[in-house]
Amino acid sequence: MEAANEKDLKGYEIQPYMFEPNPDDEIESEDSDCESTSTEDNPNEEFEGINSWRLTTLQWCKCGQCQIMTKTIESFCCHEKAVEYDEYDAKLISAQNQGLTCISLLPAFVQNMLSQDVLEVDVAQYLEDNSPHDDDDLARTHKLYRLSAYRRCSRWIFQILGKKCRRVFPSCIYTCIRKKFASPDGLYTHFKFAS
């Protein structure tokens, strides 16, 4: 990023989920399949208990791109999630048709979610829409790019989910984005259900 653009970032703090639409912008559907309103990081204790083994091994990874995560909900492979969401299945089939083992290796993912040049437009939009706050320049820059990459990835996989409807990404997606736009202190905001 050019020095002039880094100056524009000064005074801005990036907050996760800041791209949520305003309530006035959207009419919520009563029969939405995304009604989770839990504010807890672990809304399903049974799920966490059954799958806690995933935090210590990569036996669940079938694509070869995953890493051990700190949250159970993020500890799954794109091959596993393909069974639950049709959108993942379509991306996985596309990857396999191209001889790739993971959706994070698809050219569309690499070109759109890992390209600083592409994400620069989203970062500029974020800066325009949000008021400035104090934060370290390097940490803020990487946080903004991760936030923009996650948002683009959600649109790429799920199209438009709607307000308060969030879906977690597989470990391989988080791993690639965090590797490209690493946090200097190694701390990341993990998946949260909408409140």
Side-chain angles (χ1 to χ4, degrees), residues 14 24 28 42 53 55 61 73 79 87 90 100 105 112 119 123 127 133-134 137 150 152 156 159 168 175 177:
I14 293 42
D24 298 336
E28 293 185 40
N42 300 320
W53 64 273
L55 299 175
C61 177
I73 195 165
H79 287 253
E87 297 92 347
L100 305 170
L105 299 175
N112 287 289
L119 294 175
V123 169
L127 291 172
H133 299 283
D134 291 329
D137 285 341
Y150 294 145
R152 289 178 75 81
W156 177 64
Q159 306 302 310
V168 68
T175 298
I177 292 172

Side-chain angles (χ1 to χ4, degrees), residues 26-39:
E26 183 174 87
I27 299 172
E28 293 185 40
S29 172
E30 291 181 18
D31 57 354
S32 172
D33 65 344
C34 297
E35 303 262 336
S36 175
T37 58
S38 173
T39 57

